[in-house]
Amino acid sequence: MATERKESSQIHTLHSSRILYKRRTRENQKTHTKKHMADLFCRDCNQLTEVVFDHSAGDTICSECGLVLEAHSIDETSEWRTFANESNDHDPARVGGPMNPLLSDGGLSTVISKPNGTSSGFLTSSLGKWQTRGSNSDRHLIEAFKAIAIMSDRLGLVTTIKDRASEIYKKVEDQKPLRGRNQEAIVAACLYIACRQENKPRTVKEICSVVNGATQKEIGRAREFILKHLELELGQSVEMGTIHAVDYMRRFCSNLGMTNQEVKAAQEIVQKSEELDIRRSPISIAAAVIYIVTQLSNEKKALKDISLATRVAEGTIKNSYKDLYPHISRLIPSWFAKEGDLKNLCKS
């Protein structure tokens, strides 16, 4: 009899605990941030039920009966907390950078930061000496990758191009031929080659505009140097991709603030011009086509503005325009301009 009472008391206590836990869970749902997940099986309800994830305790709780399905689970999402002093420029967030397979340690090495208010004294301290002794062997790669990332951001390039440029630099750096060479030019050349290989070409002038300490000539030499070493490593010629005038068109038109109709007409003209035997560089043809389209539109653009946006000399644009002019009636789409409008175009 006593045993039955004891069992009944235990069942009653367990039932009360579940009711209390369920009530607390509902209160927590109102006061704390929860992540809801649907269709998970609860062994008590014996059915698929909606569960609630309690981030503070790490518990996965059934919303119907309050049973803890999983306790102390690890949250694998990024922890974007920062423990930095607001008055300090440093931001030692507890989440590090992503793993980089191009580095020997995967980019997961630890660097001891300098204490607040210290500069040269840190290097003479014990921590500073040990850090200098165990300095990362990939520091040159890290600096180069940072430079590539900064240049990519300035040019508005996608991550795939940035990663490709880093891979190219890594391949060349492994052969150890970069000592004594202009690092800025090498990095810029890697980015130029990556843009070509990803079919998102940038001109040497555009690359040069975001580089400090390297001229167009130096970038050109660095490009030939890199291609030569890549060919020796691969044993075959490096695919660079063919440049077409249409590759530059949308970006140049955007810089000039042209309408969608004008951009569409310019792209159509460029595609038709590839059928002609015009021996001009793709960027020169693109600039000349933009000049033609803007002269036929209501909002005309000055030749100087087109030259600044495309980084093509005004004289080069004029010469390319002269080469395109004899074929103007064939190139201009009928929906964009009439024959009477074409007569108003100057021959030179």
Side-chain angles (χ1 to χ4, degrees):
M1 193 75 179
T3 305
E4 291 179 358
R5 288 178 180 176
K6 186 176 182 181
E7 288 179 355
S8 176
S9 176
Q10 288 177 350
I11 293 172
H12 178 73
T13 303
L14 180 62
H15 183 67
S16 300
S17 299
R18 285 195 175 179
I19 293 174
L20 181 62
Y21 197 95
K22 187 175 180 181
R23 188 181 301 167
R24 287 180 179 176
T25 301
R26 288 175 178 172
E27 290 175 357
N28 287 337
Q29 288 179 18
K30 297 178 181 179
T31 57
H32 296 86
T33 303
K34 299 291 188 291
K35 179 181 178 182
H36 292 268
M37 300 172 287
D39 298 338
L40 285 183
F41 185 79
C42 175
R43 57 181 177 271
D44 261 25
C45 300
N46 199 23
Q47 63 179 357
L48 294 175
T49 61
E50 188 179 59
V51 299
V52 177
F53 187 75
D54 188 345
H55 292 275
S56 60
D59 295 340
T60 303
I61 308 161
C62 176
S63 60
E64 296 294 329
C65 65
L67 178 68
V68 179
L69 302 178
E70 185 179 357
H72 306 295
S73 58
I74 298 173
D75 186 5
E76 297 180 353
T77 57
S78 299
E79 183 188 9
W80 297 114
R81 288 186 65 191
T82 177
F83 298 89
N85 186 358
E86 294 181 359
S87 61
N88 189 12
D89 293 334
H90 299 290
D91 184 17
R94 287 175 58 175
V95 291
M99 186 173 180
N100 190 344
L102 299 178
L103 300 175
S104 59
D105 57 3
L108 303 178
S109 59
T110 302
V111 178
I112 304 170
S113 61
K114 298 178 182 180
N116 295 335
T118 62
S119 56
S120 59
F122 173 74
L123 299 175
T124 58
S125 64
S126 299
L127 287 176
K129 287 178 180 178
W130 278 108
Q131 181 157 298
T132 306
R133 254 181 231 172
S135 59
N136 194 344
S137 59
D138 293 333
R139 61 183 180 276
H140 295 300
L141 280 176
I142 294 172
E143 291 175 2
F145 293 164
K146 285 182 180 178
I148 289 172
I150 291 171
M151 291 166 57
S152 300
D153 291 340
R154 289 176 179 174
L155 290 170
L157 302 177
V158 295
T159 306
T160 53
I161 295 177
K162 181 184 70 174
D163 294 341
R164 177 62 67 89
S166 299
E167 290 175 9
I168 294 171
Y169 185 90
K170 170 68 173 174
K171 288 179 181 178
V172 179
E173 204 272 342
D174 285 344
Q175 301 177 15
K176 302 298 181 183
L178 300 180
R179 291 184 180 177
R181 294 187 175 272
N182 188 337
Q183 289 297 312
E184 294 289 340
I186 294 291
V187 169
C190 290
L191 196 59
Y192 175 83
I193 295 170
C195 291
R196 290 281 300 270
Q197 291 181 344
E198 293 294 328
N199 295 321
K200 301 291 182 183
R202 294 295 189 273
T203 64
V204 179
K205 286 184 179 179
E206 287 180 295
I207 299 290
C208 189
S209 65
V210 297
V211 179
N212 297 323
T215 62
Q216 294 183 45
K217 212 176 263 189
E218 289 174 331
I219 295 174
R221 290 172 185 167
R223 179 191 61 190
E224 298 300 325
F225 169 78
I226 292 170
L227 291 175
K228 179 182 176 181
H229 279 273
L230 290 178
E231 289 172 1
L232 289 173
E233 181 187 0
L234 300 174
Q236 58 183 6
S237 60
V238 180
E239 292 292 334
M240 287 283 288
T242 307
I243 297 179
H244 300 280
V246 72
D247 296 330
Y248 301 110
M249 190 58 64
R250 183 168 289 278
R251 188 167 72 256
F252 290 164
C253 292
S254 177
N255 293 339
L256 288 165
M258 297 171 63
T259 63
N260 292 333
Q261 191 176 17
E262 292 170 350
V263 174
K264 184 180 177 182
Q267 290 177 328
E268 190 172 332
I269 294 170
V270 162
Q271 290 174 351
K272 290 181 180 179
S273 67
E274 292 181 354
E275 302 173 2
L276 307 175
D277 185 19
I278 299 175
R279 299 182 181 180
R280 294 282 177 182
S281 66
I283 188 172
S284 301
I285 293 175
V289 168
I290 290 174
Y291 177 72
I292 293 171
V293 171
T294 54
Q295 296 308 302
L296 292 172
S297 63
N298 295 328
E299 297 182 3
K300 294 179 173 54
K301 305 290 183 184
L303 185 61
K304 183 180 178 181
D305 295 335
I306 298 173
S307 177
L308 289 173
T310 60
R311 299 181 186 275
V312 180
E314 294 182 23
T316 305
I317 298 175
K318 287 182 179 179
N319 292 332
S320 301
Y321 173 78
K322 289 178 183 178
D323 294 339
L324 291 172
Y325 185 80
H327 314 280
I328 202 75
S329 59
R330 178 183 170 186
L331 294 174
I332 304 297
S334 57
W335 58 265
F336 183 72
K338 299 178 181 178
E339 292 185 4
D341 298 328
L342 300 182
K343 294 178 182 179
N344 297 328
L345 290 174
C346 301
K347 293 183 179 180
S348 58

